[in-house]
Amino acid sequence: MDTSNNSKGIILVLIAMATFSVHDAIIKFIFTEAALYEIYFGRTFIAALLSAAYLLLTKQKIILKTSYPILSIIRVVLHFLAFSFYFISLTYMSLAVATALYFSTPLFMSILAKLFLKEDIGIRRWLAILVGFLGIFVILNPDLSDSDFKKLLPVICALFYASSMTISKKTADKDNVHTQLFYFYILTVSICLAVFFLSGSGQFNKFDNPTMQFIFRDWFSNPTFTWKYIIVMGILASVAFTCIFKAYTSFSTSITSIFEYSLIIWSVIIGYFLFNDIPTLRTLLGIILVVGAGIFIFIREEIRKQKITIETPIRR
């Protein structure tokens, strides 16, 4: 690992986060014309093909055999559900708010590492976790008289994704990152195809709500419009992962990982120019609390040499 020139790793992370922000914006742009799992299937299938081509061109071995078959299936299902919830949230939330809530992932990863990996967490990191959850509360601005639980979807996404990454940390002792990645690709494509055979004709789409239509809409209802964007999404996902993988394997993760939070900045910029979304002062305050808590957790982990979260990409 080259720690002498971390600027290259930082640039790779910045490129990856900018790429992910465009990827998310495309979902928000086309969700009224495509089905959720049609998008999920297309972008995953294309990303899998490109990733396989990259590994073959660079002469890296693709090992599909896993030492943890049950844990791998659970990990993929959690990851699949996590980003299902996140993609759904983009249909009714601004990019900035959904992204900020999703970045509560390090808070959950720290708690799960304590519970299941027996990692030590000091009082300072517990306080940072509390501040982060306070930031979530500030962003959500809940009205207790009118509970709108769909606001919690990005937070549930963060919890499920953190659970998935905690399992990855457990299985990484025997399964390399490529094995874990291709298990995700294969099982995700399989799950999406199962959804297609069960509801791909739109027989359960009896809703007027745009978000529910997005979930249950028939596949290929407008392919000439949507699939050019889905193909672009697959390319973007592949490029972003390649940049993240290179940054995390070749440069200091304690430095480069912090720059994943640039995704929030990109989301604010793109949300403003494409969707006219302007964050409120309350939202900005909540974002600052969540980001500040996450960065503090990264710093404390580096100081104590207990890399619970910083060795795993927050966005993948």
Side-chain angles (χ1 to χ4, degrees):
M1 180 177 292
D2 179 13
T3 59
S4 62
N5 189 10
N6 287 312
S7 59
K8 291 183 180 178
I10 292 170
I11 291 171
L12 286 171
V13 171
L14 291 175
I15 292 172
M17 295 304 107
T19 303
F20 276 131
S21 67
V22 176
H23 171 282
D24 294 348
I26 291 175
I27 294 178
K28 196 170 181 64
F29 180 68
I30 69 170
F31 83 90
T32 58
E33 300 292 337
L36 166 62
Y37 293 109
E38 176 189 1
I39 293 175
Y40 215 149
F41 166 77
R43 54 88 71 183
T44 303
F45 183 73
I46 292 163
L49 290 179
L50 293 175
S51 295
Y54 171 77
L55 293 177
L56 290 174
L57 288 174
T58 55
K59 298 181 179 179
Q60 298 183 56
K61 187 178 294 185
I62 302 174
I63 302 174
L64 295 180
K65 183 180 179 180
T66 174
S67 300
Y68 301 95
I70 302 300
L71 283 178
S72 293
I73 292 172
I74 295 172
R75 175 181 59 82
V76 171
V77 170
L78 286 169
H79 194 290
F80 178 85
L81 291 174
F83 281 93
S84 293
F85 294 149
Y86 182 71
F87 294 161
I88 292 169
S89 73
L90 293 175
T91 66
Y92 56 85
M93 274 186 176
S94 70
L95 286 172
V97 170
T99 303
L101 292 174
Y102 167 77
F103 269 86
S104 61
T105 297
L107 312 180
F108 290 113
M109 289 185 70
S110 295
I111 295 171
L112 292 169
K114 172 66 176 177
L115 293 175
F116 297 106
L117 302 179
K118 307 305 179 184
E119 301 275 8
D120 289 330
I121 300 178
I123 185 64
R124 295 179 184 178
R125 271 183 283 176
W126 280 118
L127 289 174
I129 290 169
L130 289 175
V131 169
F133 282 118
L134 175 61
I136 293 173
F137 184 85
V138 170
I139 294 171
L140 290 175
N141 189 20
D143 182 358
L144 299 181
S145 63
D146 182 21
S147 299
D148 189 0
F149 293 107
K150 69 181 183 181
K151 290 182 179 179
L152 292 173
L153 282 187
V155 181
I156 298 173
C157 164
L159 173 59
F160 280 24
Y161 180 69
S163 301
S164 172
M165 291 301 100
T166 301
I167 294 174
S168 292
K169 190 175 179 68
K170 171 69 176 176
T171 59
D173 62 336
K174 295 182 180 179
D175 289 357
N176 66 29
V177 66
H178 301 308
T179 301
Q180 297 190 53
L181 178 64
F182 275 92
Y183 250 77
F184 168 74
Y185 284 151
I186 292 169
L187 290 179
T188 295
V189 168
S190 299
I191 294 171
C192 287
L193 288 175
V195 172
F196 171 71
F197 286 115
L198 287 172
S199 62
S201 61
Q203 63 267 38
F204 299 117
N205 186 18
K206 311 296 184 181
F207 305 93
D208 295 324
N209 181 280
T211 297
M212 297 302 292
Q213 289 182 347
F214 177 54
I215 299 171
F216 294 105
R217 179 180 291 112
D218 53 316
W219 289 34
F220 311 113
S221 59
N222 191 0
T224 55
F225 173 76
T226 57
W227 267 84
K228 58 178 177 288
Y229 292 106
I230 292 173
I231 291 171
V232 170
M233 287 174 62
I235 296 171
L236 292 174
S238 180
V239 168
F241 174 78
T242 301
C243 290
I244 284 287
F245 175 74
K246 180 65 176 178
Y248 272 70
T249 55
S250 303
F251 305 95
S252 172
T253 55
S254 62
I255 295 175
T256 56
S257 58
I258 294 176
F259 287 86
E260 286 197 53
Y261 284 97
S262 64
L263 178 58
I264 297 178
I265 298 174
W266 289 116
S267 297
V268 171
I269 294 172
I270 291 177
Y272 174 75
F273 283 104
L274 291 186
F275 306 107
N276 198 31
D277 290 329
I278 304 174
T280 65
L281 290 177
R282 184 185 181 100
T283 298
L284 291 175
L285 173 60
I287 290 173
I288 291 171
L289 292 174
V290 172
V291 171
I295 291 175
F296 183 82
I297 288 172
F298 287 160
I299 293 172
R300 289 301 300 173
E301 287 188 7
E302 177 64 15
I303 291 173
R304 295 178 63 87
K305 306 302 179 183
Q306 293 177 322
K307 298 182 179 180
I308 301 169
T309 60
I310 61 179
E311 289 184 340
T312 302
I314 304 176
R315 179 66 191 262
R316 189 167 79 175

